[in-house]
Amino acid sequence: MRQIKAALLGATGAVGQRYINMLPKHPYISLDVLMGGESAGKQYGEAVHWLFSDPVPDELAKARVKVARPESAAGCDVVFSALPSEAARDIEEKFAQAGFMVVSEASTHRMDPDVPLMIPEVNAPHLKLLERQGMKRKWEGGIATTPNCTVTGLAMVLKPLVERFGAQKAIVTTMQALSGAGYPGVPSLAITENIIPYIKNEEEKVAKEAKKILGALRDETIRPHDIPMGVSCNRVSVIDGHTETLYAEFDEEIDPRDAAKALADFRGPPQKLKLPTAPEQPIIVRTENDRPQPRLDRLAGTVPGMAVTVGRVRNGIDGKALQLTLLSHNTIRGAAGTAILTAELMEREGYIG
Ligand SMILES: NC(=O)c1ccc[n+]([C@@H]2O[C@H](COP(=O)([O-])OP(=O)(O)OC[C@H]3O[C@@H](n4cnc5c(N)ncnc54)[C@H](OP(=O)(O)O)[C@@H]3O)[C@@H](O)[C@H]2O)c1
């Protein structure tokens, strides 16, 4: 198989480090260029405040962090971006203009009508937007994005519930991990022994992004799904792993056993194509009363951290309502893992290389 050379923007951040943790084990994507802001010019191992117990891989520890500009990534086939949204606008567009295909974690371009917002299991056909984007913006390269970390697990679980059973309404309450706010993130005095019932702009993003991802591609545009959604976002004192409770209503009675089977049976193009970062089973359904839990389930899946775990599947106020709890790893399935999976799908479909 052909080797893909990757460059990484935001290499020192919480999400950037997840790429450094995942990509050295990848069968055909190599991480060749690391780029940063304040860390540019330094050796990666010295610049980074490393968050994992595994050490920084030797070859990357000694790599020099480069300035975030297209010349730094010369010879690379794809650019992963883990930049904050303000920095992302200008920098990512420069890379796309210069002919690079950028896969971005930042929120900046997620809702642009010509930019795909990807979860490969859920909306693989949306990649087609890249063709229109290139023509419209006169870019040789392009920008594909991945969702907010809270949306990924939710949209994966909603997909079979919406398509199979026609879910009519969704009410979501999140309990989001600290690493979702980057490093150093939320001050320890604010979050220790505490829950903060507000995350700026998050509730709007969750509803809008989920509807775009679940939407249909027609006439080269995405028609967002019209499911009404109510969202409450909370920051909790957990390091990794976003937990969410979902309450969904349907037109007809729904048997929780049928819903649980549809979730466990859910598969998408990455599973059919056997992409290396695709878990064999994207949604794992637990039957114990006290699962999922962040400490026990955040690394679920044949590719650790890439499966969403669902539990407590039961009826709601009546037989037409369903309640469940879901958990997904925010920096793996909610960030770097889904971006790497998107790049794998783009390579298979001829958008990279
Ligand atoms: N954390 C999550 O769970 C999660 C999940 C999904 C998506 N996201 C999104 O992913 C992005 C990164 O999040 P994060 O949590 O990793 O943030 P973070 O820990 O604050 O890291 C930010 C990174 O961006 C670099 N950077 C900042 N300003 C720059 C500039 N002007 N030019 C070049 N590089 C610059 C920093 O490099 P220096 O250290 O060199 O300055 C650092 O490597 C954000 O857009 C976030 O919304 C995060």
Side-chain angles (χ1 to χ4, degrees):
M1 177 156 296
R2 181 175 103 71
Q3 291 296 305
I4 303 227
K5 291 185 175 183
L8 175 60
L9 288 159
T12 53
V15 173
Q17 290 185 41
R18 189 52 81 179
Y19 286 93
I20 308 270
N21 176 253
M22 291 182 80
L23 278 178
K25 300 162 211 152
H26 199 280
Y28 57 82
I29 303 180
S30 62
L31 189 48
D32 288 32
V33 175
L34 307 181
M35 291 174 280
E38 288 176 12
S39 55
K42 298 181 188 152
Q43 276 198 345
Y44 184 76
E46 287 166 13
V48 71
H49 183 96
W50 188 244
L51 298 168
F52 298 109
S53 45
D54 289 348
V56 181
D58 266 352
E59 64 285 9
L60 294 174
K62 296 195 187 90
R64 191 71 57 190
V65 179
K66 295 189 177 175
V67 177
R69 57 176 175 234
E71 301 75 43
S72 301
C76 289
D77 305 293
V78 64
V79 176
F80 291 107
S81 169
L83 289 174
S85 47
E86 318 81 63
R89 178 170 305 280
D90 187 41
I91 296 175
E92 290 177 359
E93 290 190 5
K94 280 192 179 136
F95 276 83
Q97 274 160 13
F100 291 98
M101 201 48 92
V102 179
V103 182
S104 171
E105 312 278 357
S107 62
T108 319
H109 291 288
R110 283 181 195 148
M111 295 308 296
D112 291 3
D114 58 348
V115 172
L117 177 55
M118 297 302 302
I119 304 174
E121 282 91 344
V122 176
N123 63 346
H126 291 196
L127 272 184
K128 274 203 168 302
L129 286 182
L130 286 170
E131 292 161 23
R132 182 180 155 212
Q133 184 191 105
M135 279 189 287
K136 189 179 145 215
R137 304 203 192 208
K138 302 196 172 33
W139 288 346
E140 301 240 334
I143 300 176
T145 57
T146 57
N148 175 289
C149 45
T150 317
V151 173
T152 316
L154 174 66
M156 287 173 68
V157 167
L158 279 174
K159 172 84 172 177
L161 297 181
V162 162
E163 285 204 343
R164 248 318 277 290
F165 305 105
Q168 295 293 310
K169 189 189 280 181
I171 311 290
V172 187
T173 301
T174 74
M175 290 149 272
Q176 297 179 220
L178 293 170
S179 60
Y183 187 84
V186 189
S188 58
L189 275 181
I191 195 68
T192 305
E193 204 208 336
N194 211 4
I195 293 172
I196 300 175
Y198 175 67
I199 303 174
K200 196 175 171 202
N201 298 333
E202 195 83 344
E203 290 160 0
E204 299 80 353
K205 275 189 211 164
V206 171
K208 268 199 240 159
E209 292 181 18
K211 289 179 195 190
K212 177 171 178 180
I213 294 161
L214 294 169
L217 178 72
R218 274 196 222 117
D219 305 327
E220 300 184 352
T221 51
I222 307 290
R223 307 277 163 92
H225 201 282
D226 59 5
I227 182 168
M229 289 181 72
V231 186
S232 303
C233 292
N234 304 280
R235 185 75 67 196
V236 298
S237 192
V238 164
I239 294 175
D240 288 317
H242 289 351
T243 305
E244 303 173 38
T245 58
L246 171 65
Y247 185 96
E249 287 181 359
F250 302 80
D251 270 346
E252 307 205 338
E253 301 235 324
I254 180 158
D255 185 330
R257 286 167 302 187
D258 294 341
K261 183 169 181 336
L263 291 164
D265 288 349
F266 173 66
R267 301 288 185 276
Q271 284 68 40
K272 290 191 192 99
L273 294 167
K274 296 194 185 313
L275 298 178
T277 306
E280 281 168 22
Q281 186 176 341
I283 301 174
I284 293 172
V285 180
R286 308 284 314 206
T287 51
E288 304 90 325
N289 280 333
D290 60 354
R291 303 289 279 272
Q293 295 180 23
R295 276 208 322 239
L296 302 181
D297 297 308
R298 60 190 159 208
L299 291 177
T302 47
V303 178
M306 284 299 284
V308 179
T309 305
V310 167
R312 312 234 41 237
V313 184
R314 62 207 191 278
N315 279 124
I317 49 170
D318 59 24
K320 293 180 179 176
L322 191 76
Q323 300 188 87
L324 57 80
T325 302
L326 67 100
L327 172 90
S328 67
H329 196 300
N330 52 295
T331 63
I332 302 178
R333 182 36 104 162
T338 290
I340 295 167
L341 189 59
T342 299
E344 291 167 1
L345 183 66
M346 289 166 75
E347 192 273 335
R348 280 297 181 96
E349 303 216 338
Y351 292 103
I352 290 177

